[in-house]
Amino acid sequence: MDQDRDNSVKQFLDLIKRSRRGKFKIYIGMSAGVGKTYRTLQEAHTLQKNGIDIQIGYVETHGRADTQALMDGLPLIPRRSLFYKGKSLEEMDVAAILTRHPEVVIVDELAHSNVEGSKNAKRWQDVVDILEAGINVISALNIQHIESLNEETEEITGIKITERVPDSVLEMADEIVNIDLTADELIGRLQAGKIYDRSKIGHALNNFFRSDKILQLRELALKEVAHHLERKIDIEIPKKVKLRPERFLACISSNQEKARSVIRKTARLASYSRSPWIVLYVQSSSESMDRIRLDKQRHLINNFKLATELGAEVLKIKSDDIAKTITGVVEQKEITTICIGRPHFNFFQILLKTAVFKQLLNKLAATDTDLVILS
């Protein structure tokens, strides 16, 4: 009882902390130069015009004229100076931000490593402190700096990335916005001198800024934002009201040709809607391995192999209650469309002979699951 009470208290405290925490927005991009910092500053101006108390905590313009121009008119919290190895360096002044306590603060370069002697080793840790103080944060990050993508991006770019942000930090974000450009647009910005000094353009074009590399990084960025959106939907939208993605279930029997046809046609339907799909074979006691003919066993194995090659997940379940087994898979896998063969299937005849078939149809209607009979 004491443990249950402690767990309940902890859950309530966590809920209070989350409600007090500031909102966190991240602009993410496939590389430097896509316009992440530019967009954060544009948003800062819009918020300021709408009466929001906003401050610049740290922004790095990299000498880009268009970005520097957007700094004008925005209130800035001065950076703190400190000495490291005989050099004077500047870092974001977290203490000043917490004291000033604006509604929103802009914090650029989320993956930055702080100078030794700072309270936190990483800037993302500074951001966590700011959020926990109830201050909203807008930040920016390149896809290469996400921890779980480190090896993949290093393989693409050939560049070792030492400054990384844990995936858990992105999971904290209330909103992630992808700043997307085509490879041609990004290379055009580079050639126009909008990303690096002109002396560095030639080297950049021959190394990082190649179309093949940009396209691969762009795909990673798009996938990361899509993953964040899916996670947000799963967490925030009740299951009964959220829009479910299409998921197909192909139900097959041991009939070789008919099963193969159902598999191929379901694969095509799933491909049209870019949806996951499953092949289900319910093995009744009459088709157990000691009763079914060897040629049928071989054909079944070949059809399972075909389904796998076409991208399906294959389920083989032993049961004499076929309809109940199907409804169970439909519920567990959140199936939206069931595909079966024409009525003269032995499989379909078994369904018709069972009283549960009516229950199956009622279940499908209640869950908005479609039943497709393939010709």
Side-chain angles (χ1 to χ4, degrees):
M1 289 179 64
D2 289 343
Q3 186 176 358
D4 289 342
R5 185 181 65 248
D6 290 345
N7 288 337
S8 177
V9 171
K10 183 179 183 300
Q11 290 172 1
F12 189 59
L13 284 172
D14 289 342
L15 182 63
I16 292 173
K17 288 178 181 178
R18 285 198 300 271
S19 67
R20 289 177 175 175
R21 199 198 75 175
K23 298 297 182 183
F24 188 23
K25 182 173 185 176
I26 302 176
Y27 282 98
I28 199 167
M30 58 187 166
S31 76
V34 295
K36 301 181 300 299
T37 304
Y38 190 88
R39 282 287 295 274
T40 63
L41 294 175
Q42 282 184 320
E43 182 166 355
H45 279 283
T46 301
L47 291 172
Q48 188 184 51
K49 289 177 182 176
N50 283 274
I52 301 298
D53 176 18
I54 186 163
Q55 297 278 328
I56 302 297
Y58 189 99
V59 163
E60 184 57 70
T61 65
H62 297 286
R64 295 164 190 158
D66 292 345
T67 306
Q68 186 63 49
L70 281 176
M71 293 285 289
D72 294 343
L74 293 175
L76 177 71
I77 294 177
R79 302 177 186 180
R80 66 188 182 96
S81 298
L82 36 76
F83 284 91
Y84 181 68
K85 293 185 177 180
K87 294 182 180 180
S88 178
L89 302 173
E90 291 185 334
E91 289 286 7
M92 180 172 69
D93 195 335
V94 180
I97 292 172
L98 296 176
T99 301
R100 172 65 178 75
H101 209 283
E103 288 182 76
V104 182
V105 65
I106 303 294
V107 179
D108 203 3
E109 305 283 350
L110 187 60
H112 171 77
S113 297
N114 292 331
V115 174
E116 190 174 326
S118 300
K119 179 195 172 188
N120 296 313
K122 298 287 186 177
R123 182 165 293 159
W124 64 261
Q125 295 171 316
D126 294 336
V127 166
V128 171
D129 288 346
I130 294 169
L131 290 169
E132 289 181 350
I135 302 170
N136 304 304
V137 177
I138 300 174
S139 191
L141 178 72
N142 282 336
I143 194 73
Q144 302 95 298
H145 296 283
I146 298 175
E147 182 67 54
S148 65
L149 297 176
N150 181 246
E151 291 182 6
E152 195 167 352
T153 55
E154 186 176 324
E155 186 176 338
I156 292 170
T157 63
I159 299 172
K160 188 173 182 62
I161 304 295
T162 57
E163 293 185 322
R164 302 190 292 272
V165 173
D167 291 56
S168 58
V169 176
L170 277 78
E171 291 172 8
M172 291 173 55
D174 299 282
E175 187 176 0
I176 296 179
V177 179
N178 182 38
I179 305 299
D180 187 38
L181 291 178
T182 66
D184 289 343
E185 287 173 330
L186 184 58
I187 291 172
R189 285 179 55 82
L190 175 67
Q191 292 173 328
K194 294 183 177 181
I195 300 177
Y196 297 139
D197 183 84
R198 291 194 176 274
S199 62
K200 300 178 181 178
I201 292 175
H203 181 265
L205 286 171
N206 292 325
N207 291 277
F208 186 93
F209 285 83
R210 283 170 29 195
S211 291
D212 58 332
K213 295 182 179 182
I214 293 171
L215 288 171
Q216 291 178 80
L217 293 172
R218 185 185 186 196
E219 181 183 17
L220 288 179
L222 291 169
K223 283 182 178 178
E224 181 61 33
V225 175
H227 173 62
H228 170 78
L229 180 58
E230 289 174 358
R231 185 169 61 236
K232 191 176 179 69
I233 289 172
D234 286 340
I235 293 171
E236 296 186 7
I237 300 181
K239 194 171 183 179
K240 62 183 180 182
V241 300
K242 73 174 67 171
L243 294 174
R244 294 189 299 166
E246 287 288 338
R247 294 180 184 272
F248 291 85
L249 177 67
C251 298
I252 66 169
S253 70
S254 58
N255 184 310
Q256 177 203 2
E257 293 183 2
K258 302 300 183 183
R260 187 172 290 261
S261 176
V262 169
I263 289 170
R264 284 178 171 156
K265 290 182 178 180
T266 306
R268 193 179 307 163
L269 289 172
S271 176
Y272 288 157
S273 61
R274 300 177 181 272
S275 304
W277 63 293
I278 297 168
V279 169
L280 171 64
Y281 168 62
V282 182
Q283 184 187 58
S284 63
S285 55
S286 63
E287 291 196 339
S288 60
M289 288 298 103
D290 59 339
R291 293 185 179 184
I292 192 171
R293 298 199 315 265
L294 288 176
D295 61 328
K296 281 197 170 186
Q297 290 184 35
R298 186 173 65 254
H299 294 323
L300 263 175
I301 292 171
N302 288 338
N303 281 334
F304 293 155
K305 182 180 178 183
L306 172 66
T308 302
E309 290 173 348
L310 292 174
E313 175 188 352
V314 176
L315 295 180
K316 180 181 175 182
I317 300 175
K318 293 181 180 181
S319 174
D320 286 324
D321 195 336
I322 295 177
K324 186 176 180 181
T325 303
I326 293 173
T327 57
V329 172
V330 166
E331 184 174 351
Q332 180 187 3
K333 298 291 187 177
E334 297 186 332
I335 300 298
T336 59
T337 304
I338 299 175
C339 299
I340 64 176
R342 285 168 56 180
H344 64 264
F345 271 12
N346 289 335
F347 167 78
F348 196 80
Q349 290 172 350
I350 292 172
L351 285 177
L352 289 173
K353 289 177 183 177
T354 63
V356 183
F357 182 54
K358 185 176 181 180
Q359 297 175 19
L360 170 64
L361 295 179
N362 290 337
K363 180 73 173 178
L364 300 187
T367 58
D368 292 327
T369 305
D370 296 324
L371 177 65
V372 175
I373 301 175
L374 300 170
S375 64

